[in-house]
Amino acid sequence: MPISLRRLTLALCAGGALGLTACKKHQEPAPDTRSQREIWLTTPGWSMQTIKDELTTPAGVVTTSTSTPASLFDPCHLDDLTRFNADRTFTVDDGPIKCPQPATSSTNTWSFAANETEILFSNATKSNKITTLTATTLALTYNETYPDGTMWTQTVTYAAK
């Protein structure tokens, strides 16, 4: 082999060796270990759609009413989005319509309970039952019993945005 061919072969081998050692291996992202319910809860922002209240007296008389948020809240709250974050915090993001009195900022947390069928908020003493949780719909039900024995049940339904 002539000297120039040996140098060319040596240069190609050295360059190939350097190229192989300089390449980083492609790393696959870590698998998502969250449950499907947690992925559904934490992926979108949630916009309140309906509020259903049901009162049941000790005598068994049931009164039910369903409202839209527009009938209960100022317009500046109607475009807000509730976000459940993977780090177990949640926020309510102001929409484009700003309220005259800005909301006070605080960090709130959430956690699943009862095998992911209930959600507990850090600023509440009782959990909310998750009556519906899909990629597009979230419904939370809260129950409370008044001193006179009347049971109040409220179900708030949200849509993914």
Side-chain angles (χ1 to χ4, degrees):
M1 208 184 275
I3 291 188
S4 62
L5 188 55
R6 267 194 234 150
R7 286 185 184 167
L8 178 62
T9 305
L10 182 61
L12 287 173
C13 288
L18 285 174
L20 289 175
T21 59
C23 290
K24 293 183 180 177
K25 289 185 177 179
H26 174 70
Q27 293 183 355
E28 294 295 322
D32 194 340
T33 57
R34 298 176 298 160
S35 70
Q36 183 61 60
R37 291 175 68 80
E38 186 172 350
I39 291 169
W40 284 337
L41 184 67
T42 59
T43 300
W46 297 98
S47 173
M48 197 180 317
Q49 300 298 303
T50 61
I51 302 166
K52 178 183 175 187
D53 289 298
E54 182 176 286
L55 291 172
T56 306
T57 67
V61 177
V62 178
T63 306
T64 302
S65 66
T66 301
S67 308
T68 63
S71 65
L72 301 172
F73 297 102
D74 290 332
C76 62
H77 293 291
L78 300 178
D79 61 352
D80 294 353
L81 287 180
T82 301
R83 295 191 185 281
F84 295 90
N85 304 307
D87 67 358
R88 300 296 172 107
T89 61
F90 75 93
T91 58
V92 178
D93 297 334
D94 284 336
I97 302 171
K98 304 297 180 200
C99 292
Q101 291 291 332
T104 56
S105 178
S106 64
T107 301
N108 294 296
T109 60
W110 66 272
S111 60
F112 278 126
N115 200 26
E116 297 186 351
T117 62
E118 295 180 2
I119 191 165
L120 181 64
F121 298 104
S122 59
N123 58 351
T125 57
K126 294 176 71 175
S127 64
N128 287 261
K129 184 176 181 186
I130 302 171
T131 50
T132 304
L133 179 54
T134 67
T136 59
T137 306
L138 168 65
L140 301 176
T141 300
Y142 176 81
N143 295 309
E144 187 171 321
T145 303
Y146 295 143
D148 70 355
T150 299
M151 169 88 89
W152 170 54
T153 302
Q154 183 177 67
T155 301
V156 180
T157 303
Y158 297 84
K161 298 287 180 183

